[in-house]
Amino acid sequence: MEKFKTLLDLHLRHSSALGYGLVTLLTASGERIFSTVVFQCPCSATWNLPYGLVFLLVPALVLFLLGYMLSARTWRLLTGCCAPGARVRCSSGLRGALVFTQIAVAAALAPLTWVAVALLGGSFYECAASGSKVLGPYLCRNRTGCTDQLPLVPCSKDQKSDLQDILKELKAQSQVLGWIIIAVVIIAVVIFTSVCRCLSPVSFLQLKFWKIYLENEQEIFKSQAKEHATDLAKENVKCFFEHSHPKEYNTPSIKDWQQISTLYTFNPKDQYYSMLHKYVNRKEESDSIKSSEGDVMLPVLGFVDSPGINSSTGL
């Protein structure tokens, strides 16, 4: 039991890192399966380039779009945005662009992993490059009769020195590009994370406390919401069968739900850890908490909109 609690605590503390690690592992595994089972280069001057590029880039595009779809912040930003009378909620163009940029950075992990692993394998690049008219003259330099044989290089099984040399050169180019992408991504992530932490308005320990608070708030919210929804459903069903009038239940209004569903903004004048926290501490019941002077969106606080039930698979 103690070991289970330790594993659960480890998951709660490092859920983000574990999630990114799992996404990376699944993407790399999927690429390996595609390259060995599905992919078969046509070895045609007409089809090599588009066929190789489709396998290299289209799955990356699909993974990128899935990253957007599985992000809680995407749906927080878009849900109800186009409803009648929602212009005020959708008018923050700069903030919306900033949020979508942050989502794009997170969503780019899986597609970049796909491209990097595919380039390290070399199969997709070898097929695409062997059908390229731009790379053809470079690959066939000082080689006679190479241009006609170049599209057949990925399918060549003989040990003819010229074709094998071209194949080795293509694989080397592909792997070098793959390692360059990995290096650039790691450097960019380190720089981005360092800059975000340097610009953080709160300390390291307060960030840890903030995450603990959010975990507890979301867990309690989900429990209370389930209990309230169950009681309301029971009362309505009971009244239906008994032909009686239901008791009065204090359920949040549409406006209340809209306010706590907006993206979190930080204001140094007030210390609120979530939109729910900000909502219950508003001065007047009629006050709006969506935006006020001094509110800013900070990348380092992006986790506020993404814990627990805020995920697309949650409540």
Side-chain angles (χ1 to χ4, degrees):
M1 192 66 180
E2 289 297 325
K3 291 183 178 179
F4 175 76
K5 287 182 178 179
T6 303
L7 290 174
L8 181 61
D9 183 64
L10 180 66
H11 170 71
L12 291 174
R13 289 173 181 271
H14 306 285
S15 57
S16 180
L18 291 173
Y20 284 129
L22 181 62
V23 168
T24 302
L25 180 62
L26 290 176
T27 303
S29 302
E31 191 282 328
R32 286 290 85 199
I33 294 173
F34 260 73
S35 61
T36 55
V37 178
V38 180
F39 182 78
Q40 290 183 346
C41 186
C43 297
S44 163
T46 303
W47 284 103
N48 276 20
L49 180 61
Y51 189 82
L53 289 179
V54 163
F55 271 83
L56 182 64
L57 300 179
V58 171
L61 176 61
V62 172
L63 289 170
F64 182 72
L65 295 177
L66 281 175
Y68 262 107
M69 291 179 63
L70 295 176
S71 172
R73 303 188 82 195
T74 301
W75 304 117
R76 274 201 166 222
L77 190 65
L78 292 181
T79 301
C81 186
C82 300
R87 291 186 177 182
V88 176
R89 280 184 279 152
C90 301
S91 62
S92 54
L94 184 59
R95 288 183 179 178
L98 177 61
V99 173
F100 269 110
T101 301
Q102 293 172 9
I103 298 171
V105 172
L109 173 65
L112 287 174
T113 300
W114 174 278
V115 173
V117 173
L119 289 173
L120 290 177
S123 300
F124 302 158
Y125 179 85
E126 290 167 9
C127 184
S130 63
S132 172
K133 294 181 180 180
V134 176
L135 292 177
Y138 170 76
L139 295 170
C140 289
R141 64 190 185 284
N142 302 324
R143 293 187 175 98
T144 56
C146 168
T147 305
D148 295 334
Q149 296 294 320
L150 186 60
L152 303 177
V153 168
C155 301
S156 177
K157 296 182 179 179
D158 58 29
Q159 299 298 319
K160 190 175 179 180
S161 60
D162 285 348
L163 294 182
Q164 288 300 314
D165 288 344
I166 294 175
L167 189 61
K168 291 178 180 178
E169 187 173 349
L170 289 175
K171 184 175 286 291
Q173 291 176 2
S174 180
Q175 291 178 339
V176 167
L177 287 174
W179 281 114
I180 288 175
I181 289 177
I182 292 173
V184 169
V185 169
I186 292 175
I187 292 171
V189 168
V190 170
I191 292 174
F192 179 77
T193 304
S194 300
V195 171
C196 288
R197 286 303 183 101
C198 286
L199 297 176
S200 174
V202 296
S203 66
F204 175 76
L205 289 178
Q206 188 175 1
L207 278 176
K208 293 179 73 69
F209 170 81
W210 203 320
K211 292 178 181 179
I212 294 171
Y213 168 83
L214 284 172
E215 288 174 5
N216 284 279
E217 182 191 85
Q218 295 301 321
E219 184 178 346
I220 295 169
F221 183 92
K222 185 173 183 179
S223 175
Q224 292 289 320
K226 185 175 181 180
E227 182 181 341
H228 187 88
T230 302
D231 291 342
L232 182 60
K234 284 182 179 179
E235 181 67 18
N236 288 335
V237 172
K238 178 183 176 182
C239 292
F240 172 77
F241 285 105
E242 295 180 355
H243 295 282
S244 59
H245 292 286
K247 299 177 183 177
E248 185 177 349
Y249 272 83
N250 292 322
T251 302
S253 65
I254 293 177
K255 184 179 179 181
D256 296 334
W257 286 110
Q258 288 174 348
Q259 293 201 68
I260 67 168
S261 297
T262 54
L263 292 170
Y264 177 81
T265 52
F266 177 79
N267 194 317
K269 296 179 182 178
D270 302 306
Q271 188 167 291
Y272 299 126
Y273 293 117
S274 67
M275 294 305 287
L276 181 63
H277 187 195
K278 189 175 182 180
Y279 173 80
V280 299
N281 283 278
R282 69 197 189 285
K283 294 179 180 179
E284 300 289 342
E285 289 191 6
S286 60
D287 289 349
S288 173
I289 63 168
K290 294 179 184 178
S291 180
S292 59
E293 187 177 353
D295 283 359
V296 292
M297 284 187 172
L298 300 173
V300 73
L301 299 179
F303 65 88
V304 177
D305 297 315
S306 303
I309 64 164
N310 291 331
S311 64
S312 58
T313 57
L315 179 66

